[in-house]
Amino acid sequence: MNCSKENKSIHCSVEQCRHHCNSSNYCTLDTVSIGTHEPNPTMCECVDCNSFEKK
């Protein structure tokens, strides 16, 4: 991944994501979409990055 596009406003440690900057823990997208898989989320584990794409 070309990390000249790293977005210093979006920290990310998910190295398996296509948008992860391999040389640092940042996302390369301009914006991300956050969602949930729960009807009433109450914990961090209930929240998902909907912008995730597997490498």
Side-chain angles (χ1 to χ4, degrees), residues 39-50:
N40 184 23
T42 57
M43 301 178 351
C44 292
E45 293 82 5
C46 299
V47 178
D48 305 306
C49 178
N50 291 336

Side-chain angles (χ1 to χ4, degrees), residues 17-30:
C17 182
R18 177 180 178 199
H19 307 294
H20 183 265
C21 181
N22 291 329
S23 62
S24 61
N25 280 337
Y26 293 103
C27 183
T28 58
L29 294 174
D30 293 329

Side-chain angles (χ1 to χ4, degrees), residues 3-54:
C3 287
S4 62
K5 271 195 73 179
E6 73 183 14
N7 185 337
K8 298 273 185 171
S9 296
I10 305 174
H11 293 262
C12 179
S13 61
V14 183
E15 295 177 3
Q16 297 81 1
C17 182
R18 177 180 178 199
H19 307 294
H20 183 265
C21 181
N22 291 329
S23 62
S24 61
N25 280 337
Y26 293 103
C27 183
T28 58
L29 294 174
D30 293 329
T31 61
V32 294
S33 175
I34 306 299
T36 183
H37 56 273
E38 299 287 336
N40 184 23
T42 57
M43 301 178 351
C44 292
E45 293 82 5
C46 299
V47 178
D48 305 306
C49 178
N50 291 336
S51 298
F52 174 82
E53 291 182 21
K54 188 176 186 296

